[in-house]
Amino acid sequence: MKALRVLNNNVVLARDKKGQEVILTGRGIGFSSRQGKPIDPALIVRVFVPADGRDPDHLSEALALIDEEVLRAVVIALGEAGIEGRESTRPTLAIAVADHVAGALDRAARGIVIEYPLCAEARTLYATEYAQAQLLLAAVNKRVSPQLAASEATALALHLVNAGFASGDLSFTYTMTGVIQQMLAVVTERYGLDVSQESMSAARFITHVRYLFVRIQQHRQLTGQESTIGKGIRQHYPEATRTAQRLATIVELRLGQHLSEDEVSYLALHVARMTMEADGTAA
């Protein structure tokens, strides 16, 4: 690999044998590298490959701002928590988590503890990511000082959720969290029941809405024309369809995105399943 740009002593932007730009990190790698010259493989500790159209220059600059020891602790912790598999070579998650950890360490050193307002939502809406975040926090705490507070698991969980989107900040995840809560509140109010967020049908609904948000963010909604299956759902569950149309209005107001007929139909199917489970009947 040849160096394209030296960011600092520990981060270098390079071009690999396939011709793609990659970000290399390692203690002293920048000090020994020169633009256009081959890089000593012995100095390379991690290779990050920008994905999803991310600008390599921007990502390498972001990495250069993070303390090498913090980055090392986070990368190792991601692997130890079983998260590294899907993000092993992409820098986005590592940068986001390391940047957060660096800020949290600074706050901890000054005795500042933040109680995140989305703690309850993270626990219930993103149970899998929250469990991973707790493992990640424990793994990070084994390698840093001072220790981070348990409340940081909430922020880490949101970063894990956000890794599924192409956006680089948490604003879309915050919006999604609020919309899911609002949707569940509408179902609860409309049917006069308490939809348990721990039920199987509610979990499926939450998962479906999360993928809906991914499709919206990537401009890949289900077909714009109503399919035969969609028509069947609407005919079989008219009340759930009316509720789904109300949920679609919430999405349109919050995101400015009109849902296709099929998206509304599949929302209706999940609403019907939730209400049937609450009534003790089968969908």
Side-chain angles (χ1 to χ4, degrees):
M1 286 187 275
K2 292 185 177 180
L4 295 176
R5 184 181 174 197
V6 176
L7 279 300
N8 62 23
N9 284 346
N10 305 314
V11 181
V12 173
L13 180 65
R15 191 179 302 281
D16 65 12
K17 294 180 180 179
K18 297 179 181 179
Q20 64 182 348
E21 293 185 7
V22 296
I23 304 169
L24 310 178
T25 66
R27 185 174 295 280
I29 189 172
F31 182 79
S32 303
S33 300
R34 295 292 180 271
Q35 186 174 346
K37 300 296 183 181
I39 297 171
D40 182 357
L43 297 175
I44 301 173
V45 175
R46 286 173 291 275
V47 179
F48 291 113
V49 182
D52 302 324
R54 300 301 179 88
D55 179 24
D57 281 295
H58 175 73
L59 291 174
S60 58
E61 288 173 358
L63 269 174
L65 295 174
I66 300 172
D67 180 85
E68 172 66 16
E69 291 304 315
V70 172
L71 179 62
R72 177 178 178 275
V74 166
V75 170
I76 294 174
L78 284 169
E80 191 172 300
I83 301 168
E84 188 183 27
R86 68 178 182 189
E87 295 285 343
S88 58
T89 62
R90 292 192 297 165
T92 311
L93 180 60
I95 290 173
V97 173
D99 182 65
H100 177 82
V101 168
L105 285 170
D106 179 66
R107 291 192 297 272
R110 292 185 287 161
I112 301 173
V113 177
I114 295 179
E115 291 297 332
Y116 295 95
L118 293 178
C119 181
E121 289 83 352
R123 285 175 178 269
T124 55
L125 300 182
Y126 314 126
T128 298
E129 285 85 358
Y130 190 82
Q132 287 180 318
Q134 289 180 306
L135 294 175
L136 177 58
L137 179 61
V140 168
N141 271 337
K142 290 195 300 186
R143 296 171 174 85
V144 299
S145 180
Q147 298 285 280
L148 302 183
S151 60
E152 294 296 340
T154 297
L156 294 177
L158 293 176
H159 278 295
L160 296 181
V161 172
N162 196 58
F165 301 107
S167 57
D169 57 56
L170 288 172
S171 60
F172 200 75
T173 298
Y174 291 149
T175 300
M176 178 180 69
T177 303
V179 172
I180 293 175
Q181 287 287 80
Q182 194 172 355
M183 285 179 161
L184 290 172
V186 165
V187 175
T188 298
E189 176 187 356
R190 193 174 185 108
Y191 293 92
L193 50 85
D194 181 14
V195 179
S196 171
Q197 293 174 345
E198 296 179 354
S199 72
M200 182 62 70
S201 59
R204 287 172 178 163
F205 174 81
I206 292 168
T207 299
H208 176 80
V209 174
R210 288 179 60 177
Y211 280 108
L212 167 61
F213 269 70
V214 172
R215 291 193 294 276
I216 289 174
Q217 207 269 345
Q218 296 178 348
H219 306 289
R220 295 178 179 176
Q221 283 194 54
L222 298 177
T223 178
Q225 294 184 342
E226 188 176 27
S227 66
T228 302
I229 295 176
K231 289 180 181 178
I233 293 172
R234 285 171 174 263
Q235 292 172 358
H236 196 66
Y237 304 114
E239 179 60 28
T241 297
R242 285 189 285 273
T243 302
Q245 289 169 335
R246 184 175 172 185
L247 301 183
T249 300
I250 292 173
V251 173
E252 186 169 356
L253 290 173
R254 295 291 296 275
L255 297 181
Q257 292 285 333
H258 180 75
L259 294 189
S260 69
E261 294 295 327
D262 271 354
E263 292 289 7
V264 175
S265 295
Y266 282 106
L267 276 177
L269 179 61
H270 283 282
V271 169
R273 284 175 171 170
M274 278 195 291
T275 57
M276 289 178 180
E277 181 178 315
D279 291 338
T281 57

